[in-house]
Amino acid sequence: MKKIDKIINFMRALEEVCIVKRDLLLFDGSEENDAMHIFKLSFLTMLIAPYLKTPVDYTKMLELALVHDIAEGKTGDYTAANQLTHPELKKEKIKREATAIKELKKLLPSPLNKKIYALYQEYEKKETVEAKIVSVLDKLEANLQANQYRDGDVRYWKLCENGAKYYKIASQKKTLVKEIDEPIITDLENAIIKLSLTNMQKCGIKKP
């Protein structure tokens, strides 16, 4: 198969990512999908990068943001709330996504296939500073998005599957943020937690 045919086939596979629904709602009440999340995470990475005190490979961070959820086009989304409630789902997620990324790797010509596969593995292992930062921003972006519906009406969280867990997720500090020790990311986390708590109070929901 020609290189261009493989690239077109891969682009078709990426369309599957665009229809994977997430629990979170946009400001107008429409459902968020994986492609929207990837778009916003990529921008958040760009907005945070100039203020990092640790030297990083900025291009790699953007690439990690782009590839981090592409396997979900074949597996669907495993929400954080469900994984907290059912720990066995995390093992299932890892296993199914490992198979999915190998399928996606086969679609691309060399060296693109090896590059995207390597980026995905780097993100999953979270051993490099770039992967750790993007992983943290991934969680923070989701927490921020969760607060956007109708100017902070977070009552809808409990309507999601195991959604009551979101109140705990949104109000807790993340261990990886402390490990990274980047003031701009710490400030971002604090601001999002403050927003979450304010919206919970506004909606009559007690801090978990």
Side-chain angles (χ1 to χ4, degrees):
M1 186 181 292
K2 295 179 180 180
K3 290 180 181 179
I4 197 64
D5 292 331
K6 288 188 174 185
I7 290 172
I8 288 173
N9 285 341
F10 184 80
M11 291 299 294
R12 170 63 185 84
L14 288 183
E15 282 204 6
E16 297 174 0
V17 181
C18 299
I19 61 173
V20 175
K21 299 296 183 183
R22 292 166 61 87
D23 271 353
L24 305 180
L25 298 179
L26 303 178
F27 72 95
D28 64 351
S30 57
E31 291 181 289
E32 185 189 33
N33 63 44
D34 267 5
M36 296 174 185
H37 166 62
I38 290 170
F39 168 77
K40 288 177 289 180
L41 174 60
S42 298
F43 258 95
L44 185 57
T45 300
M46 183 178 73
L47 296 171
I48 290 297
Y51 306 104
L52 296 171
K53 60 184 180 65
T54 304
V56 295
D57 184 334
Y58 170 61
T59 300
K60 177 178 280 190
M61 287 203 304
L62 282 179
E63 291 173 337
L64 289 168
L66 286 171
V67 307
H68 85 286
D69 268 349
I70 59 173
E72 290 186 4
K74 296 191 176 297
T75 67
D77 182 38
Y78 286 73
T79 67
N82 279 343
Q83 290 184 63
L84 276 178
T85 307
H86 305 290
E88 70 276 7
L89 285 180
K90 188 168 185 64
K91 293 181 180 179
E92 178 184 321
K93 173 183 184 293
I94 292 171
K95 183 177 180 179
R96 292 190 63 204
E97 290 184 353
T99 299
I101 195 64
K102 288 177 182 176
E103 292 177 10
L104 290 169
K105 180 183 178 183
K106 291 177 182 178
L107 293 178
L108 282 167
S110 181
L112 287 172
N113 55 354
K114 295 176 183 177
K115 178 177 181 177
I116 288 180
Y117 184 78
L119 285 166
Y120 186 87
Q121 294 302 322
E122 180 176 344
Y123 179 83
E124 288 295 298
K125 291 178 181 178
K126 296 175 180 54
E127 294 175 348
T128 64
V129 64
E130 289 85 1
K132 289 177 180 179
I133 289 172
V134 176
S135 178
V136 161
L137 294 180
D138 170 52
K139 306 300 186 296
L140 295 179
E141 191 287 318
N143 288 354
L144 179 60
Q145 178 57 55
N147 283 278
Q148 302 307 312
Y149 174 59
R150 292 186 177 177
D151 195 27
D153 187 350
V154 297
R155 290 173 293 181
Y156 84 90
W157 294 358
K158 61 185 175 183
L159 301 178
C160 302
E161 189 174 0
N162 299 309
K165 292 287 185 182
Y166 284 128
Y167 299 109
K168 182 177 181 180
I169 293 170
S171 57
Q172 283 187 332
K173 289 183 177 292
K174 295 166 177 55
T175 304
L176 197 51
V177 171
K178 185 177 181 180
E179 178 186 335
I180 291 170
D181 190 26
E182 285 286 350
I184 187 64
I185 295 177
T186 300
D187 289 348
L188 177 65
E189 179 184 52
N190 289 338
I192 294 173
I193 289 176
K194 182 179 179 180
L195 176 63
S196 298
L197 292 175
T198 298
N199 287 335
M200 281 187 254
Q201 183 179 33
K202 183 171 64 176
C203 294
I205 297 166
K206 294 181 179 180
K207 179 181 176 180

